[in-house]
Amino acid sequence: MSFWKTWFSNPSSLGSNKTSAVEELTAGYSGNSSTVKEQIIFSTERDLDLYELEELCDAVGWSRRPLRKVKKAIEHSFLVASMWQVKGNKKRLIGFARAISDHAFNATIWDLVVHPEFQGKGLGKALMKYILKKLRSEEISNVTLFADPQVVDFYKTMGFMPDPEGIKGMFWYPQ
């Protein structure tokens, strides 16, 4: 895992070039041992196949949401990040996350998902660090998220913590 530390600790490794929408990771990931070259690619392109995203969310057991609303959420997000497995000429969506923001101080990460076949390989952390670097490059200094109980420890390893002031989030839902 030292590859990940060096890659993400170097600010120039991702660069701040806003025109670059796709970035590659080829070293440090050990995919299966086939002879076809395998790459993991990150992208900030918003033009996603919503059915492919739905399949990814199904794979982790998330409830289905209306695709028109998913499309709207993506369109109105501050940042959209996807992670792809590229093997030969085939491309497969294996990770996704998005963030909303006030464009100045705050952002909230939503919908972080990594396909179960790729969990436990450091790719979820890589996707989170990619998102955090992108947010920090926009000078966003306060990043929040909501976590299901089973993934709280994952986010703690990424430096997230419960509100140090002890403030509890509150929610309003229509009756």
Side-chain angles (χ1 to χ4, degrees):
M1 284 293 148
S2 64
F3 167 78
W4 298 117
K5 289 179 185 172
T6 58
W7 198 77
F8 286 109
S9 63
N10 178 359
S12 65
S13 64
L14 284 178
S16 59
N17 182 356
K18 291 183 185 178
T19 61
S20 174
V22 177
E23 298 174 22
E24 282 183 31
L25 245 95
T26 53
Y29 171 71
S30 56
N32 56 27
S33 60
S34 68
T35 57
V36 177
K37 184 179 177 185
E38 183 174 25
Q39 297 175 309
I40 301 299
I41 297 175
F42 293 96
S43 174
T44 55
E45 292 292 323
R46 292 169 188 264
D47 188 24
L48 296 168
D49 180 334
L50 296 180
Y51 293 103
E52 193 171 6
L53 179 57
E54 185 174 55
E55 286 178 17
L56 174 61
C57 294
D58 285 347
V60 296
W62 286 7
S63 321
R64 287 209 170 175
R65 300 181 284 185
L67 292 181
R68 67 179 173 74
K69 286 187 151 191
V70 172
K71 181 180 184 211
K72 189 174 186 178
I74 290 171
E75 289 170 351
H76 292 279
S77 292
F78 178 75
L79 172 66
V80 173
S82 54
M83 184 169 56
W84 303 82
Q85 175 195 42
V86 179
K87 201 172 184 181
N89 62 354
K90 294 182 182 177
K91 186 172 143 184
R92 176 182 177 200
L93 180 65
I94 61 169
F96 175 84
R98 65 187 186 89
I100 59 174
S101 176
D102 61 9
H103 297 250
F105 303 105
N106 305 295
T108 302
I109 297 172
W110 293 96
D111 301 333
L112 178 77
V113 60
V114 174
H115 194 284
E117 290 176 28
F118 296 87
Q119 293 176 7
K121 300 177 187 221
L123 294 174
K125 287 182 181 182
L127 182 57
M128 276 298 294
K129 288 187 177 192
Y130 178 78
I131 293 164
L132 291 169
K133 283 231 181 238
K134 292 290 186 184
L135 292 172
R136 290 297 296 138
S137 73
E138 296 292 330
E139 299 182 10
I140 303 292
S141 57
N142 184 29
V143 180
T144 59
L145 56 78
F146 295 90
D148 290 330
Q150 68 270 22
V151 292
V152 166
D153 288 339
F154 167 77
Y155 290 113
K156 283 183 178 178
T157 67
M158 301 295 304
F160 285 87
M161 65 184 96
D163 189 303
E165 303 293 322
I167 298 170
K168 301 291 182 190
M170 298 180 74
F171 302 86
W172 177 89
Y173 296 103
Q175 302 276 337

